[in-house]
Amino acid sequence: MPGHTLQQRLASIIASADREPAAPIRIITPDLQEFGMPDLSTPEGQGLIEEHLDGISVVIVDNLSTLCRSGVENKAEDWLPVQEWGLMLRRRGIAVMFIHHTGKGGAQRGTSRREDVLDTVIHLRRPGDYQPQEGASFSVHFEKARGLYGDDVKPFEAKLWTGPDGKHTWLMKDIEESLTEKVAALLNDGIPQGEIPELLGVAKGTVSKHKMKAEHMGLLSKKC
């Protein structure tokens, strides 16, 4: 992402939060690097990042495909240099967030060995009824959560909403609650129940369950 776009987004986040960030934020982006981005799969690339880590508590690697370029994505052994680098940072008290893309089947691209040493794996998915004009809207699923359990790992929907004043707010809702409301809205709009599973990307039984829940909550109009 271009540096000026990152600056705009960061400025928008700060304006929406009504406060300045308390910690140092350092952004390394390709268009500001004379010799391109470092390859974090190599000791040389990792060394180039080192000088920027003073006072930093979190490193975000966005994304693995562009910043870890050496080796073959599907070979577990080729992930080891990055894994060792991440573990070294962890020992120093620096958390690392790796951003990665999914493949056509919905699972992460490449070797699954990446997940072995990770404490948390979060999968962002598009809702079944997602439309491009909605912008940043997705469901959040914890696929691995070391030390987290119960309500802390329940899936939820998150949507970035822009208010009349231009400030951004994250709207979050329990997935079950959100799905019930979506089923109710479609039924109230006259959409046949048999067409709803395809629209929402869920099973027929799921729609039936949420229709009953919507009836119990009084969300359905009499015509339904």
Side-chain angles (χ1 to χ4, degrees):
M1 184 180 294
H4 73 276
T5 303
L6 286 171
Q7 289 178 329
Q8 291 173 349
R9 290 193 176 186
L10 183 58
S12 177
I13 291 172
I14 293 173
S16 299
D18 293 321
R19 61 178 179 175
E20 293 289 331
I25 298 177
R26 299 179 185 134
I27 299 174
I28 303 174
T29 186
D31 56 330
L32 300 180
Q33 309 306 310
E34 182 179 359
F35 302 106
M37 294 294 283
D39 182 353
L40 299 181
S41 299
T42 67
E44 295 78 15
Q46 295 166 10
L48 291 173
I49 296 294
E50 184 63 34
E51 63 181 280
H52 301 285
L53 298 182
D54 185 37
I56 295 297
S57 57
V58 180
V59 172
I60 301 175
V61 178
D62 186 8
N63 57 70
L64 284 178
S65 296
T66 58
L67 295 176
C68 302
R69 301 184 294 275
S70 296
V72 180
E73 195 171 47
N74 291 324
K75 290 184 64 176
E77 292 77 10
D78 289 343
W79 167 249
L80 291 179
V82 184
Q83 176 176 293
E84 290 304 315
W85 177 66
L87 290 173
M88 180 269 293
L89 292 179
R90 179 195 287 177
R91 289 192 294 270
R92 291 166 53 183
I94 300 175
V96 184
M97 178 186 296
F98 293 111
I99 310 297
H100 193 34
H101 293 295
T102 57
K104 294 181 179 179
Q108 66 158 312
R109 288 189 347 212
T111 176
S112 61
R113 187 169 186 172
R114 293 190 183 96
E115 298 184 3
D116 291 351
V117 299
L118 301 182
D119 291 327
T120 307
V121 177
I122 299 174
H123 189 182
L124 304 183
R125 306 174 189 170
R126 292 292 193 196
D129 58 343
Y130 175 78
Q131 297 295 325
Q133 59 267 29
E134 295 180 42
S137 177
F138 39 78
S139 58
V140 181
H141 300 262
F142 289 82
E143 297 190 342
K144 180 180 180 180
R146 187 177 292 161
L148 298 174
Y149 53 88
D151 289 344
D152 290 338
V153 294
K154 288 180 63 176
F156 62 92
E157 282 194 356
K159 183 173 184 177
L160 188 61
W161 178 76
T162 303
D165 57 359
K167 292 186 177 182
H168 303 302
T169 302
W170 281 106
L171 304 178
M172 289 173 283
K173 183 178 295 186
D174 179 88
I175 280 187
E176 289 292 307
E177 177 186 349
S178 175
L179 191 52
T180 300
E181 293 177 354
K182 289 179 179 179
V183 169
L186 290 171
L187 290 170
N188 288 335
D189 286 342
I191 305 299
Q193 182 174 337
E195 296 180 9
I196 294 178
E198 183 176 355
L199 291 173
L200 297 182
V202 297
K204 293 181 179 179
T206 300
V207 172
S208 298
K209 181 184 74 171
H210 285 280
K211 179 183 178 182
M212 293 177 60
K213 187 175 180 180
E215 290 174 341
H216 179 73
M217 296 172 63
L219 298 178
L220 298 181
S221 61
K222 292 183 179 180
K223 64 180 180 180
C224 296

